[in-house]
């Protein structure tokens, strides 16, 4: 089943988050896809209560690699799981670019997510320079190989990968459906090399980067794109609902 996940980034207070959920629930009653909201840590408690009885699943935007201890500013998997968090974004390009996230820390965070029973959404994607240099496939292949080091098949089956070209995030530029599909296929080839073709075929790949109600159906019509990670267009309930309801599975 496709997954439409909102990534709110650093937006919304807890009160605003609860009001959003109350507005969204009636708009997505007929949705055929899975729906998740990856919210700021401070919204997790409020949203976990507000979504009870609805089809919305709860997600976080980061996870510590350690269980507990002297890690100022970090939040552990157990702390997230306590509130019913199911999904967690790992390795978003904003974290890689602004907060020193590396493939190595991404790998550690993925392992922590699996250990806590959470389902990570691993973000990969190339910059404009990398695309212009014609090395997108190699670059993303490297991100995946490093991020998935020593992660066994039984865990990787619970992984979702979000292909998010950096040049498309928050810019209004979107990968064409053909670009998104061809990169998703190259991701599957890398996964086949790391695991096998059966496992590769089962891993869900999302597209992210200026996805909106206008372009979602063409992107979601691609064989290897099984949903979206939505930033800007997930901040208003009506906008997010129209993407969710575009999803035809
Ligand atoms: P955007 O963000 O939809 O605002 O481009 C997507 C993301 O960064 O996950």
């Amino acid at each position: 089943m496709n997954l439409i996940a909102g990534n709110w980034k650093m937006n919304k207070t807890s009160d605003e988050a609860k009001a959003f959920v109350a507005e969204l629930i009636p708009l997505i009653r007929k949705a055929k896809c899975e729906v998740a909201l990856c919210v700021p840590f401070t919204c997790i408690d409020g949203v976990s209560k507000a979504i009870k009885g609805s089809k919305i699943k709860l997600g976080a935007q980061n996870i510590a690699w350690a269980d507990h201890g002297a890690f100022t500013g970090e939040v552990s998997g157990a702390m997230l799981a306590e509130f019913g968090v199911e999904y967690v974004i790992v390795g978003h390009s904003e974290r890689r670019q602004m907060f020193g996230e590396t493939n190595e820390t991404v790998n550690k965070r993925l392992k922590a997510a699996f250990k806590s029973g959470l389902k990570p959404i691993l973000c990969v994607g190339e910059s404009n320079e990398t695309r212009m240099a014609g090395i997108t496939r190699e670059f993303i292949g490297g991100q995946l190989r490093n991020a998935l080091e020593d992660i066994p098949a039984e865990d990787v089956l619970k992984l979702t990968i979000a292909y998010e070209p950096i040049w498309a995030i928050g810019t209004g530029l979107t990968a064409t459906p053909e670009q998104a599909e061809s990169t998703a296929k190259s991701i599957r080839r890398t996964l086949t090399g790391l695991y096998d073709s059966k496992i590769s075929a089962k891993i869900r790949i999302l597209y992210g980067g200026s996805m909106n109600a206008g372009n979602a159906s063409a992107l979601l019509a691609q064989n290897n794109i099984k949903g979206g990670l939505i930033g800007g267009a997930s901040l208003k309930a009506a906008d997010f609902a129209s993407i969710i309801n575009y999803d035809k599975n």
Side-chain angles (χ1 to χ4, degrees):
M1 194 191 283
N2 286 0
L3 169 66
I4 300 292
N7 173 13
W8 281 356
K9 310 190 179 185
M10 196 177 73
N11 290 290
K12 296 193 190 299
T13 63
S14 187
D15 279 348
E16 288 165 350
K18 285 183 265 183
F20 175 100
V21 170
E23 202 185 331
L24 183 66
I25 288 173
L27 301 177
I28 58 164
R29 282 202 207 288
K30 293 193 183 132
K32 293 194 204 97
C33 60
E34 207 181 329
V35 178
L37 284 174
C38 299
V39 306
F41 292 133
T42 51
C43 297
I44 284 176
D45 185 21
V47 170
S48 75
K49 292 178 184 120
I51 60 175
K52 284 235 161 73
S54 80
K55 59 178 65 174
I56 303 169
K57 295 179 172 167
L58 187 54
Q61 298 173 16
N62 199 5
I63 177 173
W65 58 72
D67 292 340
H68 56 83
F71 298 95
T72 302
E74 292 285 297
V75 173
S76 76
M79 293 170 184
L80 299 174
E82 187 181 19
F83 288 96
V85 169
E86 188 171 329
Y87 286 99
V88 61
I89 297 173
V90 174
H92 191 279
S93 61
E94 286 152 16
R95 296 223 54 90
R96 294 177 192 257
Q97 289 181 317
M98 291 186 277
F99 302 101
E101 198 77 64
T102 63
N103 286 328
E104 194 193 342
T105 57
V106 166
N107 174 254
K108 287 161 80 172
R109 291 186 201 277
L110 286 177
K111 287 175 180 161
F114 291 126
K115 196 172 158 203
S116 310
L118 303 179
K119 297 179 195 156
I121 301 175
L122 165 64
C123 298
V124 295
E126 80 288 3
S127 66
N128 190 40
E129 284 125 44
T130 301
R131 178 157 283 271
M132 289 302 141
I135 51 169
T136 297
R137 256 184 247 166
E138 294 77 359
F139 178 79
I140 294 177
Q143 283 186 319
L144 288 168
R145 269 189 294 282
N146 289 314
L148 298 177
E149 203 174 307
D150 297 326
I151 293 185
E154 72 251 35
D155 283 340
V156 91
L157 285 167
K158 291 172 229 143
L159 178 71
T160 294
I161 294 173
Y163 166 51
E164 297 210 308
I166 296 170
W167 48 270
I169 295 177
T171 57
L173 297 172
T174 315
T176 63
E178 295 72 27
Q179 282 172 328
E181 175 67 4
S182 103
T183 309
K185 277 191 192 157
S186 81
I187 290 173
R188 285 211 197 283
R189 279 195 290 274
T190 301
L191 294 170
T192 299
L194 292 173
Y195 299 93
D196 63 40
S197 58
K198 271 196 195 146
I199 291 171
S200 170
K202 283 188 190 148
I203 296 174
R204 186 155 55 181
I205 301 176
L206 313 180
Y207 169 79
S210 298
M211 198 190 244
N212 58 40
N215 58 33
S217 52
L219 287 158
L220 295 170
Q222 303 304 307
N223 280 337
N224 287 286
I225 305 292
K226 300 291 183 197
L229 184 59
I230 325 290
S234 74
L235 292 173
K236 286 200 185 124
D239 294 349
F240 192 43
S242 50
I243 297 176
I244 292 164
N245 293 324
Y246 258 94
D247 186 88
K248 300 200 178 63
N249 282 310

